[in-house]
Amino acid sequence: RPFETLLSPAIGNTAYVVWEDERAQIVLLEGIYLATPKFGPHPHLVSRYMPSTPVRVVLSHEFEDMSSEYTSEVVNKMVRNGRREWIRNNARPLHNIVPGMMRSLNQRAEIRMRELAAKAAFQLEAVLNADIARLKRLPDTKARKAETKRIEDQIAETKPLFAEPFLISDQLRLIRRGPSGKGI
C-alpha cells in the first residue's frame, strides 16, 4: 500500500521530490508523524506536558537513519517536485525497498515517540511532586491534605497515559538525491 500511495498524484500527505546532485544516487524516505498521548480525566495536564508533537524520521534505502543530516530546512531548500514517471520506471526496485523502509521508518518513529512520552511523564511527575513537597511544608490542615490528595490522584491518573501514546502518520515523502534522470 505505501508504494501505491507514492504512485498516486501528489495530493494530501504524500510526495515524491528530487534533489539533483552529481554524487551517487540515494533514495530517502521521510515520514512525519504526530505523537499524542491518550487523553484522560485531566486533559490540561496531558496537553501541557505532551501536546501533539511532530516526530520526523528520514531513512536511506540502506535503512540508515539520516534524520540529523537531512533536516527539514536543508531538504526543503534543495528539492523540487519529481516526475512520477521515474517512480513507474523504477517500480520493481522501489517495490523491493519501500515496504521495508516504511516498516523501519514506523519503528524508529515509535521509539522517538516513546522517548518523548517518557520525558513528558517524568516532567509531569517532577513538577507535581514538587507541588506536593511544597504543600507538605505548610501547616497540616484539612484543605492541605485534600489538595495533596488531589495532586497525587492527578499523577496516578495521568502518568499512565504517557505509557501508551499513539502515533499518527501525517506526511510521507520519497526523496531521490542524485544525478538527474538516473535510476536507482
Side-chain angles (χ1 to χ4, degrees):
R1 164 108 204 234
F3 183 70
E4 289 77 23
T5 304
L6 290 170
L7 281 173
S8 64
I11 55 174
N13 59 359
T14 63
Y16 163 60
V17 294
V18 176
W19 178 336
E20 290 191 27
D21 187 348
E22 291 307 313
R23 290 185 276 178
Q25 178 109 326
I26 184 172
V27 173
L28 304 162
L29 194 58
E30 174 189 52
I32 299 176
Y33 303 81
L34 288 178
T36 307
K38 290 186 175 182
F39 279 92
H42 308 287
H44 67 286
L45 289 175
V46 173
S47 62
R48 177 178 174 190
Y49 289 95
M50 189 176 169
S52 288
T53 306
V55 174
R56 180 179 175 273
V57 180
V58 178
L59 199 67
S60 75
H61 62 271
E62 295 174 340
F63 300 94
E64 184 180 353
D65 190 329
M66 308 292 282
S67 304
S68 58
E69 182 178 340
Y70 289 90
T71 63
S72 292
E73 296 79 21
V74 169
V75 172
N76 291 339
K77 187 169 71 170
M78 299 304 294
V79 300
R80 64 173 171 73
N81 287 335
R83 294 178 29 215
R84 302 258 170 206
E85 294 85 56
W86 182 86
I87 293 178
R88 285 187 197 90
N89 292 340
N90 292 280
R92 181 164 301 196
L94 286 170
H95 189 69
N96 289 335
I97 64 170
V98 169
M101 289 175 76
M102 281 295 302
R103 282 189 297 278
S104 185
L105 197 72
N106 290 334
Q107 289 167 352
R108 289 166 195 256
E110 280 275 334
I111 290 167
R112 291 203 182 138
M113 174 197 61
R114 293 198 181 284
E115 290 168 353
L116 286 169
K119 182 179 176 185
F122 177 80
Q123 289 175 335
L124 165 95
E125 192 170 31
V127 169
L128 294 184
N129 278 332
D131 287 347
I132 291 170
R134 180 186 52 80
L135 286 170
K136 287 185 176 181
R137 288 190 303 268
L138 298 174
D140 201 18
T141 65
K142 205 181 234 187
R144 192 221 18 103
K145 286 180 183 177
E147 180 65 9
T148 300
K149 172 80 168 102
R150 185 185 70 77
I151 295 172
E152 288 169 344
D153 290 347
Q154 286 180 336
I155 293 171
E157 294 166 347
T158 306
K159 188 177 175 191
L161 301 174
F162 294 108
E164 300 178 33
F166 55 96
L167 202 59
I168 301 167
S169 179
D170 189 48
Q171 297 175 28
L172 183 64
R173 183 160 61 167
L174 183 71
I175 303 164
R176 180 180 61 84
R177 180 177 181 175
S180 181
K182 301 291 182 189
I184 291 179

